[in-house]
Amino acid sequence: PELIVDKVLENIDEQVVVTEIEVVKRRIYICFSDEYAPIQKCYKKFETLILDCISNSLLDNIPYVDEVVFRSEKGAYHSENFTFEMDEVYSSK
């Protein structure tokens, strides 16, 4: 999963920092730094693009992952544009 996320982030012009990647059963948790995009300084369309690219790449390329959950360093994902519950699934197969 780390390699896939790294490859996606290489193609994004904004600095995005993933602080943790964890797979539990068939769900993957991606934790972002609270200091950088997509949590901070990100337009809604661009934030959606980042989240969609990461989640779609993981779901398309890792057969043992069925669900993607995004979090921030503080816990549940919260930005200017989106707020997700702690274990809310962003996308799934």
Side-chain angles (χ1 to χ4, degrees):
E2 291 84 0
L3 177 64
I4 292 169
V5 171
D6 287 346
K7 291 297 180 188
V8 171
L9 297 182
E10 283 177 11
N11 292 298
I12 296 175
D13 292 335
E14 189 68 36
Q15 184 174 9
V16 178
V17 176
V18 173
T19 59
E20 184 179 357
I21 298 174
E22 179 181 18
V23 178
V24 178
K25 297 189 181 182
R26 299 190 67 86
R27 181 179 285 179
I28 190 164
Y29 297 88
I30 307 295
C31 184
F32 294 103
S33 168
D34 294 318
E35 304 296 317
Y36 301 97
I39 304 286
Q40 294 291 325
K41 305 170 193 152
C42 211
Y43 293 103
K44 187 173 185 175
K45 280 187 175 185
F46 190 53
E47 183 174 356
T48 302
L49 176 75
I50 293 168
L51 299 179
D52 285 350
C53 285
I54 291 172
S55 63
N56 291 338
S57 295
L58 291 167
L59 293 172
D60 290 348
N61 292 292
I62 303 177
Y64 58 85
V65 170
D66 291 333
E67 299 175 328
V68 178
V69 174
F70 293 118
R71 293 181 174 166
S72 73
E73 289 177 306
K74 295 177 184 168
Y77 186 99
H78 177 76
S79 68
E80 285 185 23
N81 306 304
F82 298 105
T83 299
F84 305 131
E85 297 296 321
M86 184 64 171
D87 288 326
E88 184 175 341
V89 173
Y90 179 79
S91 61
S92 62
K93 288 184 181 174

